[in-house]
Amino acid sequence: MNLNDVTNNPYLLLTPGPLTTTETVKLAMMKDWCTWDDDYNNIVQDIRQKLVRLATNSVDKYSAVLMQGSGSFSVESLIGTTIPKTGKLLVLTNGVYGNRIVKTANILGIDTVVLDSGEVAQPDLDKLSMILDLDKEITHVAVVHCETTTGMLNPIEKVGEIVKKHNRIYIVDAMSSFGGIEMDIDTLGIDYLISSANKCIEGVPGFGFALVNVEEFEKCSANARSLSLDLYDQWKTMEEHNGKWRFTSPTHVVRAFSQALKELEEEGGVSKRAARYRNNQKTLVEGMKKLNFKPLLPEELQSPIITSFYYPEDPSFSFVEFYNKLKAKGFVIYPGKVTNLNTFRIGNIGDVHQKDIESLLAAIEESRYWLKPAFKN
Ligand SMILES: *Cc1c(COP(=O)(O)O)cnc(C)c1O
């Protein structure tokens, strides 16, 4: 087998993860590691320290813990471990991932209330204050940072101010934004943040992680509703045994993630990566508008991570045909997820650069065979 055949991608993934990774991240997976040997555990410890440093300047206040599985496994493990049996969760939702937190909490038997702002609006902050004033039983508030359903960026700073003013625990699903948007979780008042290997850090899928406020997390030893997803036990084991995971860990994925973190540093850190994503997104939207595609969200709600577009008005438009044409030209885009609107999504994260977006736009222009002149204005 030729190495180029192994590492060259047949197409660029313009999806919100798994995403296109660099060849060097993929090559980092070529060695086998022993799951309990120091060589491997030192890599894990290095990753945990780097994650804390990426998240905040208050490095003594927070700790990182890794968990096997996709991002949702980490969300479930965090929700199930940090909320006590007597706790009550308020979830702010405006899309699939907020709703998934609600579903997770319901299955775990956690008392849960929901503030749903619909799929194209941000949470109502006055209502949030009111609910926290009225319902003293609520102990935890959870929100998604970038709601990947639409690409909307939720106001985690303003939500955090209100949650902290009311003295509640603050949980943020920053799955699709951590590493791609600058933040300091201490300044934002975040107690628990969840993300995963295969989004803005640009690793490959296989594990997620949480950043935890140590003082709060220390109180969570008796909460877990699942053995495998006991995040506290996982953390204690990592803390006390130099980065050891309790059960078999995705060693190749972890090694690739370590390489991805190194490449994030080499790129210039989160601010530089954020600038690349913003530039990708701006190039994309400007180009798409020229081709008569309309973004779903107004600019002020839009994240640099992923953008939803309405289908063109031409009734003969077929997303499947559009998708296949672009795939044949080397680009994979994403179907929409908004309930009652016909949309599709294009992501900007991963090893994706301005020239890639420009090539995509050229491919979209070539494929607009269905855009009859009548629909062009
Ligand atoms: C990707 C993502 C998740 C986790 O999804 P998995 O498919 O389990 O990795 C959770 N929340 C958000 C906002 C996401 O973008």
Side-chain angles (χ1 to χ4, degrees):
M1 217 188 266
N2 176 312
L3 192 61
N4 271 344
D5 293 342
V6 178
T7 57
N8 273 358
N9 287 315
Y11 32 69
L12 193 71
L13 298 176
L14 297 169
T15 57
L19 34 70
T20 295
T21 57
T22 62
E23 191 172 271
T24 33
V25 162
K26 286 187 278 283
L27 284 173
M29 289 186 284
M30 298 302 279
K31 282 186 198 152
D32 302 312
W33 297 84
C34 175
T35 192
W36 50 259
D37 186 87
D38 276 348
D39 290 344
Y40 175 69
N41 289 341
N42 289 340
I43 296 173
V44 175
Q45 291 297 69
D46 182 57
I47 287 173
R48 293 179 61 217
Q49 277 175 16
K50 282 189 174 148
L51 287 175
V52 173
R53 271 188 267 133
L54 277 184
T56 181
N57 286 325
S58 313
V59 290
D60 295 330
K61 188 169 165 185
Y62 290 89
S63 183
V65 52
L66 318 182
M67 179 54 80
Q68 293 94 332
S70 85
S72 302
F73 291 62
S74 282
V75 174
E76 183 161 357
S77 90
L78 186 111
I79 296 286
T81 304
T82 58
I83 302 176
K85 309 278 185 289
T86 52
K88 183 169 179 178
L89 173 67
L90 168 64
V91 184
L92 311 183
T93 175
N94 44 16
V96 170
Y97 294 99
N99 292 340
R100 191 176 294 171
I101 297 178
V102 176
K103 192 170 178 189
T104 305
N106 285 338
I107 289 177
L108 293 172
I110 293 167
D111 194 4
T112 304
V113 282
V114 180
L115 177 58
D116 189 341
S117 49
E119 287 165 313
V120 292
Q122 291 192 326
D124 182 332
L125 299 175
D126 292 335
K127 264 194 197 153
L128 170 63
S129 285
M130 209 171 71
I131 294 171
L132 292 178
D133 276 333
L134 291 175
D135 190 342
K136 304 288 185 215
E137 287 183 351
I138 293 170
T139 51
H140 293 66
V141 178
V143 69
V144 175
H145 186 203
C146 171
E147 182 43 88
T148 321
T149 312
T150 52
M152 189 191 300
L153 209 53
N154 278 317
I156 54 170
E157 189 176 352
K158 289 186 193 132
V159 172
E161 268 171 35
I162 296 169
V163 172
K164 286 294 122 181
K165 192 176 142 234
H166 289 82
N167 225 351
R168 314 299 166 87
I169 303 287
Y170 188 27
I171 301 171
V172 175
D173 170 351
M175 204 68 67
S176 61
S177 58
F178 186 73
I181 295 179
E182 285 176 283
M183 62 178 91
D184 186 309
I185 57 174
D186 191 28
T187 313
L188 292 165
I190 297 172
D191 297 292
Y192 300 112
L193 176 140
I194 314 138
S195 190
S196 83
N198 63 283
K199 300 231 168 155
C200 297
I201 312 259
E202 302 186 4
V204 301
F207 72 93
F209 54 87
L211 289 144
V212 300
N213 174 340
V214 174
E215 195 186 328
E216 285 305 326
F217 198 51
E218 277 289 8
K219 301 172 192 163
C220 299
S221 62
N223 295 340
R225 283 114 174 134
S226 152
L227 173 70
S228 313
L229 296 179
D230 184 343
L231 196 67
Y232 183 88
D233 200 36
Q234 180 94 332
W235 176 65
K236 270 287 157 189
T237 308
M238 286 188 172
E239 284 287 289
E240 288 168 5
H241 301 277
N242 187 41
K244 188 181 175 298
W245 302 52
R246 290 171 306 159
F247 311 138
T248 298
S249 74
T251 50
H252 302 80
V253 175
V254 168
R255 183 62 189 80
F257 188 73
S258 163
Q259 176 65 23
L261 281 172
K262 185 162 165 259
E263 292 179 16
L264 174 58
E265 247 166 65
E266 286 164 359
E267 186 172 348
V270 176
S271 63
K272 284 285 156 47
R273 179 156 297 179
R276 171 162 65 87
Y277 290 167
R278 277 198 304 272
N279 181 57
N280 284 348
Q281 202 271 339
K282 187 163 162 271
T283 308
L284 175 72
V285 169
E286 280 171 7
M288 289 295 275
K289 281 183 176 166
K290 281 191 194 137
L291 299 173
N292 297 317
F293 286 93
K294 191 172 170 262
L296 171 73
L297 297 177
E299 212 175 305
E300 60 281 9
L301 302 186
Q302 174 64 52
S303 71
I305 306 298
I306 186 165
T307 311
S308 297
F309 294 95
Y310 288 105
Y311 283 7
E313 280 173 30
D314 186 339
S316 70
F317 175 78
S318 150
F319 176 74
V320 175
E321 222 168 292
F322 182 55
Y323 176 91
N324 285 332
K325 285 228 164 198
L326 294 179
K327 184 175 159 189
K329 288 180 188 288
F331 303 97
V332 164
I333 64 166
Y334 226 44
K337 242 180 186 174
V338 182
T339 315
N340 290 321
L341 298 169
N342 283 324
T343 57
F344 62 87
R345 293 176 290 170
I346 299 180
N348 306 304
I349 60 178
D351 186 25
V352 176
H353 304 263
Q354 176 159 347
K355 63 172 181 2
D356 300 310
I357 301 292
E358 284 164 357
S359 312
L360 167 77
L361 289 165
I364 291 176
E365 181 160 19
E366 280 169 37
S367 72
R368 60 176 186 160
Y369 59 97
W370 70 85
L371 278 184
K372 294 164 199 136
F375 293 98
K376 277 201 189 164
N377 293 317

